[in-house]
Amino acid sequence: HYLNRSALLATMTTDMKNDTIMMYQTLFSQNHTEMLIKNSWLTEEELMLHDQRICFLKRLLLCLATCRVHYATENNGLKTQPWMFPLASVLCHGSRMLLRLNGVPWRDFVNFLIFGDQDRWNWEENGVPAPFYVRRAASHGVRLDTRTAELQEIKLKNLQAFGNNHLGMDIPVGGLGNPTPSATNKKGALFVGPG
C-alpha cells in the first residue's frame, strides 16, 4: 500500500470504520441483557466487573474527547499534532497511550475512571481496585525527561520489566455477549466472554 496512496486511504478508512463499530459494540453491549440472562454463564461479580470496565472505557473516551488527543510521528517526539481520526482508533490497535496529568494525582484519576468518584477507593488501605490487577511484568515503562519535563516511553529490559507497580485490566473488546466475527463453527456460535 505504500506505493498506492488510494489503496492505503481505502484500507485506513475501512479499518477506522471497523474500529468505531467495535468500540460501539464494546461500550453498549451491556444493553443486551436478554442474551446474558438466557445464557447465565456469568456470575453476579463478573457482570459487575464487566460494567465497571465499560464505565471505565466510557469515562476514558470522554476525557480523551474533552482534553483532546495528540500524537507524535517519532518515538518520544516533542512535536505533536492533533489526532484527526476517530477516538476508537486510539484504543483499537494495541498501541500505548501516555496521559499527562497536570495537578491531578494518578490514583484520583483512575478512581474517577473506575468509580466516577476520585475519593471512592483508598489505595493505601485497600490495594489495587478491581477490575485492575497487578501485573508482575511489563514490556514498556515511562520516565520523566528532566531536561524537557516530558514523559518518555522506554522499553524495559531484563529485570526492569519485573515488579509490582504494573497494572492490567482485561476489556471484552467487541462487547460481552455479542457474537464474534465469523463465529460459525461445528459447536455453534461463539460469543465474547468476560474480561
Side-chain angles (χ1 to χ4, degrees):
H1 289 342
Y2 290 115
L3 299 176
N4 186 340
R5 289 181 155 268
S6 64
L8 177 62
L9 186 60
T11 301
M12 286 178 62
T13 302
T14 301
D15 216 24
M16 288 180 195
K17 283 181 183 176
N18 290 337
D19 294 344
T20 304
I21 292 166
M22 180 76 70
M23 189 56 61
Y24 181 85
Q25 289 176 333
T26 301
L27 295 176
F28 297 104
S29 65
Q30 64 191 11
N31 295 330
H32 301 293
T33 53
E34 293 173 18
M35 204 302 248
L36 296 175
I37 291 169
K38 195 167 49 172
N39 299 303
S40 60
W41 38 267
L42 293 174
T43 66
E44 286 293 320
E45 181 184 16
E46 287 172 325
L47 282 172
M48 188 241 348
L49 290 173
H50 167 264
D51 290 348
Q52 277 187 314
R53 290 178 181 108
I54 297 307
C55 285
F56 174 93
L57 267 180
K58 287 177 179 179
R59 290 182 188 112
L60 177 61
L61 283 168
L62 285 172
C63 286
L64 295 176
T66 303
C67 299
R68 300 189 189 133
V69 175
H70 287 75
Y71 72 99
T73 57
E74 299 174 13
N75 286 343
N76 294 316
L78 295 178
K79 185 176 179 180
T80 62
Q81 301 173 27
W83 184 256
M84 57 189 155
F85 306 107
L87 279 179
S89 298
V90 173
L91 301 173
C92 284
H93 288 279
S95 58
R96 288 169 295 282
M97 241 187 317
L98 297 180
L99 297 175
R100 183 174 59 201
L101 302 172
N102 295 326
V104 178
W106 71 269
R107 288 180 175 170
D108 288 354
F109 183 65
V110 172
N111 277 351
F112 167 73
L113 292 178
I114 296 174
F115 305 110
D117 178 359
Q118 70 180 23
D119 299 319
R120 175 83 181 272
W121 190 264
N122 185 325
W123 290 66
E124 283 78 25
E125 289 180 17
N126 302 322
V128 175
F132 276 103
Y133 56 87
V134 175
R135 293 179 59 190
R136 299 293 174 220
S139 61
H140 289 75
V142 178
R143 75 174 181 86
L144 181 66
D145 184 336
T146 54
R147 290 180 304 111
T148 63
E150 294 286 329
L151 289 178
Q152 289 189 332
E153 182 182 43
I154 57 171
K155 182 133 174 85
L156 299 175
K157 297 176 183 165
N158 304 323
L159 295 177
Q160 287 179 316
F162 297 97
N164 60 358
N165 59 342
H166 308 294
L167 299 179
M169 179 193 301
D170 297 322
I171 296 175
V173 175
L176 183 66
N178 289 343
T180 60
S182 305
T184 54
N185 64 35
K186 293 178 184 174
K187 295 184 180 181
L190 298 174
F191 297 94
V192 177

